[in-house]
């Protein structure tokens, strides 16, 4: 898979937790109670995690590049749902929690709204991964790719292009 | 810095980019927020802006009335990292043009809007509407498409990318474009639970 090169950083720009997460002080973490970072992850400057909409569970060794946005996926339902999380009932619309595996690398300025991401996934720069996408393990998504909604990307696939194809 | 729980969760901070939580919840000067609009405090509002009722402005959205005022209609959803800018050139006599955004539009993340927009449009991720363009109603500007031409895009157009080119076709919405009312209703309940919301103007 793609190896991240060594980079030097200023420790004063980052907060380091006791499980080894390095979170830049200039990230925007909404709903941080619902963010679960398993450990040893890096959240770079200006990245955004919107866990106020639904829970975001992230595995170990996750890297969120500069300016990247992680947002839970949503779906419109045929009949109204009871959303116990927010207590909102009777809506045809809900955000569902986002699960991300280990060793996932989301590069700069990408927008990721996938509902599930497997392990060892590489997402390039400036990508748009739309809602409802399921990315399985060991997938790499090239720079500037647009993955349309509800795509299922099988394991070991390489996705590129706008619209993205294998 | 606040302490972090041993599960490894990201701690009990909310967004980090602003001053202490005691900062004012009043709208910045020049910004008028009409009833039931939910404007997150962490959004960036600059200049003379009117935000219509029921509109939702997510944190880290940027509405910059640089060269003139911006008037935003009701029921829009302006997601994070969206830029809405008034960069219309200022007239020789010093007067400025207003940027008008209609109602019930959906501005997805990373989109940039500089031209007038009607109602029920969708500006997708990383799309761009230049200052010379006017969108009418029900249009969809596809992901990472840029529309910069000096024209008025008629109702119900899809602007999409086909390989390297950006093409357009009339959409086949039967009567009306799909509504974002359910999305609006969800956000109106959910966002105030997690964000400081600017006060509406009386």
């Amino acid at each position: 898979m793609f190896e991240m090169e060594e980079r030097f950083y200023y420790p004063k720009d980052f907060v380091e937790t006791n499980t080894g997460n390095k979170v830049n002080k200039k990230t925007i973490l909404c709903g941080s109670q619902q963010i679960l970072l398993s450990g040893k992850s890096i959240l770079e400057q200006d990245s955004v995690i919107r866990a106020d909409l639904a829970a975001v569970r992230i595995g170990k060794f996750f890297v969120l590049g500069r300016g990247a946005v992680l947002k839970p996926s949503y779906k419109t339902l045929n009949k109204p749902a009871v959303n116990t999380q927010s207590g909102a009932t009777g809506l045809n619309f809900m955000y569902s929690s986002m699960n991300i595996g280990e060793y996932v690398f989301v590069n700069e300025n990408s927008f990721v709204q996938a509902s599930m991401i497997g392990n060892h996934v590489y997402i390039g720069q400036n990508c748009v991964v739309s809602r409802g996408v399921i990315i399985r393990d060991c997938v790499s998504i090239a720079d500037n790719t647009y993955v349309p909604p509800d795509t299922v990307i099988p394991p070991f696939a390489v996705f590129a292009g706008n619209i993205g194809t294998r | 810095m606040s302490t972090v729980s041993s599960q490894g969760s990201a701690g009990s901070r909310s967004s980090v980019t602003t001053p202490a939580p005691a900062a004012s919840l009043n709208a910045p000067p020049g910004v008028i927020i009409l009833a039931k609009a939910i404007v997150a405090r962490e959004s960036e509002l600059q200049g003379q802006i009117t935000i219509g009722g029921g509109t939702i402005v997510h944190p880290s959205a940027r509405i910059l009335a640089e060269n003139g005022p911006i008037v935003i209609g009701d029921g829009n959803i302006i997601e994070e990292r969206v830029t809405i800018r008034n960069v219309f050139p200022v007239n020789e006599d010093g007067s400025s043009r207003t940027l008008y955004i209609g109602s019930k539009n959906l501005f997805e993340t990373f989109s940039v809007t500089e031209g007038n927009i009607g109602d029920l449009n969708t500006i997708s991720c990383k799309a761009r509407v230049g200052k010379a363009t006017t969108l009418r109603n029900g249009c969809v500007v596809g992901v990472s498409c840029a529309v910069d031409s000096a024209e008025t895009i008629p109702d119900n157009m899809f602007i999409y990318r086909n390989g390297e080119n950006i093409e357009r076709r009339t959409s086949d919405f039967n009567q009306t474009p799909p509504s974002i009312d359910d999305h609006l209703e969800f956000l109106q309940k959910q966002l105030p639970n997690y964000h400081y919301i600017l006060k509406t103007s009386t």
Side-chain angles (χ1 to χ4, degrees):
Chain A
M1 268 303 110
F2 294 81
E3 293 286 333
M4 196 179 160
E5 75 280 1
E6 276 186 4
R7 267 189 346 117
F8 293 100
Y9 68 98
Y10 289 108
K12 66 176 171 56
D13 291 339
F14 284 80
V15 171
E16 184 156 349
T17 72
N18 49 6
T19 48
N21 297 311
K22 295 184 172 64
V23 180
N24 194 304
K25 291 181 188 168
K26 291 206 181 119
T27 54
I28 299 179
L29 302 177
C30 306
S32 48
Q33 309 94 295
Q34 295 199 79
I35 303 180
L36 184 63
L37 284 173
S38 301
K40 299 205 173 64
S41 297
I42 300 175
L43 303 183
E44 294 261 19
Q45 184 175 348
D46 297 328
S47 57
V48 176
I49 300 187
R50 297 298 308 273
D52 53 330
L53 305 167
V56 177
R57 293 183 212 112
I58 302 177
K60 299 200 302 269
F61 299 103
F62 173 71
V63 177
L64 189 60
R66 288 184 66 147
V69 172
L70 213 59
K71 189 169 177 178
S73 176
Y74 65 83
K75 44 185 178 250
T76 338
L77 310 153
N78 287 328
K79 44 180 196 175
V82 176
N83 186 345
T84 53
Q85 181 183 338
S86 70
T89 59
L91 282 183
N92 291 328
F93 181 95
M94 60 182 277
Y95 279 89
S96 53
S97 64
M98 185 182 204
N99 290 307
I100 299 184
E102 305 183 342
Y103 300 94
V104 174
F105 186 1
V106 177
N107 234 321
E108 299 174 5
N109 291 315
S110 285
F111 172 63
V112 178
Q113 205 176 9
S115 58
M116 189 208 110
I117 303 184
N119 304 316
H120 296 277
V121 171
Y122 174 90
I123 299 180
Q125 293 189 20
N126 294 318
C127 289
V128 175
V129 177
S130 314
R131 57 174 179 79
V133 169
I134 296 177
I135 306 180
R136 303 293 305 281
D137 299 336
C138 302
V139 164
S140 69
I141 299 180
D143 294 349
N144 304 312
T145 312
Y146 166 48
V147 184
D150 299 318
T151 314
V152 175
I153 306 184
F156 296 96
V158 176
F159 242 64
N162 177 348
I163 310 282
T165 53
R166 294 179 59 181
Chain B
M1 265 302 146
S2 51
T3 57
V4 175
S5 75
S6 58
Q7 285 172 335
S9 74
S12 53
R13 291 169 298 148
S14 52
S15 62
V16 193
T17 52
T18 53
S24 163
L25 286 181
N26 292 322
V31 176
I32 300 174
I33 302 180
L34 299 180
K36 294 180 101 181
I38 307 231
V39 180
R41 188 191 64 182
E42 273 73 37
S43 60
E44 196 181 315
L45 303 172
Q46 240 182 63
Q48 220 181 317
I49 305 172
T50 305
I51 299 183
T55 295
I56 301 199
V57 180
H58 285 245
S60 73
R62 302 191 319 165
I63 307 180
L64 309 171
E66 293 172 12
N67 288 356
I70 297 182
V71 174
I72 300 182
D74 307 339
N76 296 295
I77 297 179
I78 302 174
E79 296 195 339
E80 60 272 339
R81 294 264 180 250
V82 164
T83 305
I84 299 179
R85 293 187 346 166
N86 183 333
V87 285
F88 292 134
V90 180
N91 300 329
E92 298 84 46
D93 58 358
S95 64
S96 50
R97 271 179 68 190
T98 310
L99 175 66
Y100 288 99
I101 310 266
S103 306
K104 304 255 177 160
N105 297 299
L106 171 63
F107 296 88
E108 295 191 352
T109 313
F110 290 125
S111 59
V112 177
T113 305
E114 293 169 354
N116 290 317
I117 306 244
D119 304 333
L120 294 162
N121 299 299
T122 300
I123 318 285
S124 308
C125 295
K126 297 193 190 276
R128 220 192 100 82
V129 177
K131 62 180 186 285
T133 315
T134 302
L135 286 188
R136 297 280 301 280
N137 307 322
C139 297
V140 175
V141 184
V143 169
S144 70
C145 293
V147 202
D148 284 311
S149 47
E151 59 176 313
T152 302
I153 312 274
D155 289 356
N156 296 331
M157 294 298 281
F158 268 160
I159 298 172
Y160 63 100
R161 181 181 286 267
N162 187 353
E164 285 302 310
N165 310 319
I166 294 180
E167 301 183 11
R168 59 183 68 170
R169 64 177 177 89
T170 312
S171 79
D172 38 29
F173 297 139
N174 285 329
Q175 289 103 11
T176 52
S179 87
I180 57 171
D181 292 336
D182 285 329
H183 196 168
L184 268 176
E185 204 178 319
F186 179 91
L187 290 174
Q188 268 160 3
K189 293 187 183 135
Q190 184 80 343
L191 279 190
N193 293 335
Y194 286 92
H195 297 282
Y196 292 108
I197 307 292
L198 295 179
K199 293 187 212 157
T200 57
S201 315
T202 48

